Amino acid sequence: PGANFYLRDLHSLRRFKDQTGLKAEFFPDFFIYCPSKETDRCRAAKKLLAEARTGGKTAIGLNFSEHAFRSFSDIHDSAHREKYVADVLATLCPMVQDPYFLLISSDTRCWENFPSDSDYQKIAHEWLKTNGHESCTSLLDPLITYPEVLNLLDGLDMVISGRMHLALAAFRNHVI
């Protein structure tokens, strides 16, 4: 009594009702129903991406998050976070011929010993700059909204993210 059940897809909703006999509501995930929104910030980023792709570069949306980091490390400190980002980038950079990186933050919130995506974005930007990729890297405004991110996705060739919703939104936009 007093509990409301919300399920994110119709199949799960139907199964939940069939199996439990309880009432529940359909509440789709944000990436499914959120409309994209074009803004001046989007147009500027899309212009950079189009120029990079016209020049033969592979446009990569790149996101790091504390959630993903904690899947790889039991030690939660700055040195291990920087190593995590460096390891990912050191593996990725030689694998993609002529990359162009768009660093995307999906969250600016942070807590004690739990940095935001924006903090990871800065770590990645510094690594890319230090390792000769500054001219092929853009740091997206961390205050970009989710509808704006959705608008940018079709300008990318691929998205690499530690966030499920960003990865699913990329698939929604036919981006690997």
Side-chain angles (χ1 to χ4, degrees):
N4 294 319
F5 298 97
Y6 300 96
L7 288 102
R8 294 185 167 185
D9 66 84
L10 294 172
H11 178 74
S12 297
L13 176 66
R14 188 171 47 256
R15 289 187 59 166
F16 178 84
K17 287 179 175 181
D18 289 348
Q19 291 173 2
T20 66
L22 298 173
K23 292 176 67 172
E25 295 180 48
F26 178 53
F27 187 77
D29 223 328
F30 195 51
F31 82 92
I32 294 171
Y33 70 86
C34 181
S36 68
K37 179 180 180 183
E38 186 174 48
T39 62
D40 289 340
R41 179 174 25 208
C42 293
R43 284 185 284 279
K46 282 183 122 172
K47 183 179 180 210
L48 287 173
L49 293 171
E51 290 169 1
R53 291 173 86 187
T54 299
K57 294 192 178 294
T58 301
I60 302 169
L62 191 55
N63 164 264
F64 290 93
S65 70
E66 181 70 7
H67 298 289
F69 161 72
R70 288 179 181 231
S71 297
F72 291 93
S73 180
D74 292 328
I75 302 170
H76 307 142
D77 63 16
S78 296
H80 283 82
R81 288 179 179 100
E82 289 172 15
K83 182 180 179 338
Y84 162 68
V85 171
D87 288 350
V88 169
L89 292 172
T91 301
L92 178 62
C93 286
M95 294 179 70
V96 179
Q97 186 176 354
D98 217 4
Y100 185 89
F101 296 104
L102 181 65
L103 299 172
I104 303 169
S105 172
S106 284
D107 198 348
T108 58
R109 298 171 299 167
C110 60
W111 296 270
E112 185 177 335
N113 200 29
F114 203 95
S116 69
D117 289 15
S118 300
D119 294 324
Y120 277 96
Q121 189 182 34
K122 292 173 192 166
I123 295 168
H125 189 251
E126 186 59 36
W127 189 95
L128 289 163
K129 189 168 72 173
T130 301
N131 289 276
H133 297 279
E134 184 173 20
S135 66
C136 58
T137 302
S138 291
L139 189 63
L140 198 56
D141 181 345
L143 298 179
I144 192 163
T145 65
Y146 196 76
E148 289 173 303
V149 170
L150 289 176
N151 181 269
L152 293 175
L153 291 175
D154 66 354
L156 296 165
D157 294 303
M158 67 178 74
V159 171
I160 298 169
S161 176
R163 292 205 170 262
M164 177 189 76
H165 293 98
L166 183 56
L168 292 171
F171 286 135
R172 173 184 171 197
N173 284 276
H174 310 286
V175 177
I176 59 169

